[in-house]
Structure formats: structure tokens, C-alpha cells
Amino acid sequence: MQYKKHIITFSKLGDFIIQNLDTDALKPLFSATRNENGWFTEDNVKLAVENIAKIFLNEIALEKFAQKYKLNENFNPKKIGIVMAGNIPAVGFHDLLCVVLSGNIALLKLSSGDTASMMFLINKLYEFDPQLKNTIIIAQRLNDADALIATGSDNTAKHFEYYFATKPRIIRRNRTSVAVLNGNESRAELANLGNDIFQYFGLGCRNVSKLYVPVGYAFDKFYESIEYWSTIQLHHKYNNNYDYNKSIYLVNRIPHLDNGFLLLKEDDALVSPISVCFYETYENDAHLEQLLSESAEKIQCTVSSDARFQNSFRFGEAQVPKLEDFADGIDTMEFLMKL
């Protein structure tokens, strides 16, 4: 079957990435992405492609994933337009993978902020299977698409809904991730939470931008546990955001906490600016459940100690989704198989 051939091709890409993480073979990827997007440091690009290779492109994992769906030879493939985000490196790769595995044709509208990493991966796929040039197509316009998968802001989502109103579609809007603390977390757990906050400079929808803490929570232990992330201030774009937000809070006498590279501000909003993490207090479990329920449609991930909430992640796992962890909780493969 065709999807089995695709699984082999994708797994070859995964093997190539893993085998060359520390060789010159990925240097063109790192330099191209850095030149295109100042947020895409070598460490962040390496982290992104390594996670893709180990989690998405493992042959055994792909086989198990495929078995959940009735993937047969598709004699009437549909053209699926994919409007990709560009907030973190290769963030749209999972959608591409799903479309190809489902037997359909991917029409890709790449983000101007993340063209280099996607083209590097796509060109490698072409090397492993030149026939994929008929299946993975770079497009500037998606008028010919039979269905759409689009990721963007709440504003761009309105435009997508209007222009593709007559076609099947998955349209994703702004989301963010939150962490729930109870005050009993270990230093190791809080250090892992630091990864959820700071990886990719906090630009991803799976990055934690809001903490829920019990009334009277003291942040000393939290700040001490994330100190190893202090070097993030050496990145000029991040530090510019930190300086700007700090000056706004100081000038306007807005209460906040500061450790030199992360500002904490009490706020009932979910999405915080870069270099800032909002927090909100809860009185008891019932109050916490209410707060989470009220914001459920805007929360991508919830992280907590031992992943104690349904469908939540342990601290440090927010940026390592599995194949079946679909964005916005919408099963992309099921959508594609029903077309």
C-alpha cells in the first residue's frame, strides 16, 4: 500500500536527522533558518527537528499511528491546502505528514517566517522519494484546494472562514498553554516547567504563558529552580522584549515580580507577552476546575505534577507532543479520511 511506502520514506528522513544532529549535514539548515528568522537559533532548530525525528518519524510509531485509521490506496486523492504557521521551526510538519499518509496531495502555503526549515525537510523527502514531488507541492494560492487546514491568529481565522466557507476545513486560532502548581512541586519539576516556558522563547502555542497557583503561593522556589535559563537574556530579541515589558510595568507602577529574565504578573488573561508569565490564584480544587473550564477553548496544553489532570502533560513535556496529540484537539487524520 502507498502509505507503507510513505512511512518508509518518512522514517528515512528521521534516521537522517538523528544520525546528523552533530555533523555538518545540518549546517545549511541551521544557517538558513537563522538568516530567515532571528528567533530560530541553532539550538531551537535542532530541538525542533530532533523531536520531529524521534517522535513523528519513528517507523514503529508511524505504523502504530497508521493502524488507528483505515489507510487504503486512495484512488481519488484530494488536494489539501495547508496554511502553515511560522512561530516555531517546522511547526507545520505534522499537518504535512498527516496529509501524505492519508493518501492525499498537500498544497503548502509556507510561512514567510519558516520557509527554510520546511523546505530543507521537504527537499530531503524528495531525495528519498522523487515521486513525492507530485504529492507535496509548494503553492502561493490555494484556490484549487478541495479542503483546507489553516493555522493562524484569531483575525486570520475569520478570513479563512470567509474565503473557504464552502469547503471542508480545519481552522486553528490563537491558543496557549498553562501550568497548574500546588506548592508541593520538587525543584526538578519546576526546572522542567522552565522548559515549558522558555523553549522556543515562549513563541509556541504549547509554551506555558500562565500559571495557576494556590492563594499565598511563594515564587522563591520557582525562581530558584529556573535560574539555569538565565542565559536566555543573551538573545537580543528576547532581552529587548524583557526590557520593554519591565519598563512598562515600572513606569505604570504595575505590581510584578522579576528575577532578571522573567517577569511574573498577576493577570486573569491567558496569553502573556514574551518574557512575561501571568499567574492567577485559586482557592481550592473546585475553583481551579472552574478557571480551567472557563478557558478550555483557548488552552492548548495543561502541564502539572504527574499530569494529574485529564489529557494533561507532566512538566517539561509540553513541547514533545506525540503523533496523536493533534492541535486544538481536532483529529486531523479523521478529518482527512472522511473527505
Side-chain angles (χ1 to χ4, degrees):
M1 293 183 180
Q2 188 73 13
Y3 80 87
K4 289 186 176 292
K5 178 184 177 184
H6 292 327
I7 285 177
I8 293 173
T9 302
F10 279 112
S11 65
K12 286 181 180 178
L13 174 61
D15 292 340
F16 169 82
I17 292 170
I18 292 170
Q19 292 167 6
N20 291 286
L21 282 171
D22 297 312
T23 73
D24 291 341
L26 295 184
K27 291 296 183 182
L29 167 65
F30 300 144
S31 61
T33 51
R34 183 175 59 251
N35 291 336
E36 179 180 68
N37 190 326
W39 290 106
F40 288 8
T41 63
E42 179 173 333
D43 286 343
N44 280 344
V45 177
K46 182 180 289 188
L47 174 65
V49 297
E50 182 177 8
N51 284 342
I52 287 173
K54 291 183 176 179
I55 301 171
F56 293 170
L57 303 181
N58 176 281
E59 186 171 356
I60 295 175
L62 284 169
E63 287 284 359
K64 290 181 178 179
F65 181 67
Q67 288 171 8
K68 297 180 180 180
Y69 306 92
K70 295 181 180 179
L71 300 181
N72 298 315
E73 194 72 30
N74 194 338
F75 293 104
N76 185 26
K78 302 292 192 298
K79 294 179 180 178
I80 312 300
I82 306 177
V83 181
M84 294 190 168
N87 50 328
I88 65 176
V91 67
F93 189 85
H94 189 271
D95 286 333
L96 168 62
L97 174 64
C98 288
V99 170
V100 174
L101 283 184
S102 67
N104 291 296
I105 297 170
L107 302 180
L108 306 184
K109 180 71 169 66
L110 301 179
S111 167
S112 60
D114 186 32
T115 297
S117 69
M118 285 303 305
M119 286 308 306
F120 182 89
L121 298 175
I122 291 167
N123 284 328
K124 282 298 173 185
L125 289 171
Y126 289 163
E127 287 182 24
F128 297 131
D129 182 4
Q131 292 184 356
L132 280 177
K133 292 181 179 180
N134 300 317
T135 302
I136 302 173
I137 301 169
I138 309 303
Q140 293 303 312
R141 301 181 66 85
L142 302 177
N143 296 8
D144 294 336
D146 300 305
L148 179 77
I149 300 173
T151 304
S153 67
D154 289 347
N155 287 332
T156 57
K158 294 178 182 178
H159 295 289
F160 294 144
E161 290 283 7
Y162 176 78
Y163 286 110
F164 295 92
T166 62
K167 296 182 180 182
R169 59 201 179 277
I170 293 176
I171 297 179
R172 307 189 186 108
R173 294 166 172 78
N174 286 341
R175 286 205 177 204
T176 192
S177 297
V178 302
V180 176
L181 304 179
N182 59 25
N184 298 318
E185 289 79 16
S186 67
R187 290 183 181 275
E189 287 180 313
L190 294 175
N192 286 334
L193 173 57
N195 295 338
D196 296 327
I197 295 171
F198 294 111
Q199 284 178 339
Y200 307 116
F201 299 106
L203 291 166
C205 64
R206 302 183 73 92
N207 281 109
V208 168
S209 63
K210 174 75 172 279
L211 308 177
Y212 289 100
V213 299
V215 174
Y217 182 86
F219 284 96
D220 305 61
K221 185 178 178 181
F222 167 78
Y223 266 144
E224 291 168 2
S225 301
I226 65 168
E227 182 62 28
Y228 73 103
W229 268 102
S230 61
T231 54
I232 198 170
Q233 63 190 306
L234 299 177
H235 190 272
H236 70 283
K237 294 175 77 69
Y238 180 91
N239 201 53
N240 287 345
N241 278 267
Y242 168 78
D243 287 340
Y244 172 80
N245 290 309
K246 180 177 180 177
S247 65
I248 292 295
Y249 292 162
L250 290 174
V251 168
N252 292 288
R253 298 184 179 180
I254 297 173
H256 65 281
L257 300 173
D258 180 13
N259 72 341
F261 61 93
L262 178 68
L263 303 164
L264 288 172
K265 176 179 178 290
E266 187 168 10
D267 202 306
D268 59 6
L270 281 178
V271 182
S272 59
I274 299 300
S275 77
V276 179
C277 194
F278 291 155
Y279 70 90
E280 188 170 357
T281 60
Y282 63 89
E283 298 174 359
N284 49 47
D285 286 349
H287 184 209
L288 173 60
E289 292 286 356
Q290 178 187 343
L291 292 173
L292 292 174
S293 177
E294 290 172 351
S295 302
E297 292 187 359
K298 286 293 185 180
I299 295 176
Q300 186 72 267
C301 303
T302 300
V303 295
S304 60
S305 181
D306 295 325
R308 66 189 185 95
F309 293 91
Q310 185 177 6
N311 298 322
S312 68
F313 296 80
R314 290 180 173 84
F315 295 123
E317 295 182 352
Q319 292 293 353
V320 284
K322 299 179 178 61
L323 276 166
E324 60 271 20
D325 290 328
F326 297 101
D328 291 15
I330 301 172
D331 191 323
T332 310
M333 287 297 289
E334 184 177 346
F335 165 78
L336 293 166
M337 299 308 295
K338 288 182 177 180
L339 294 175

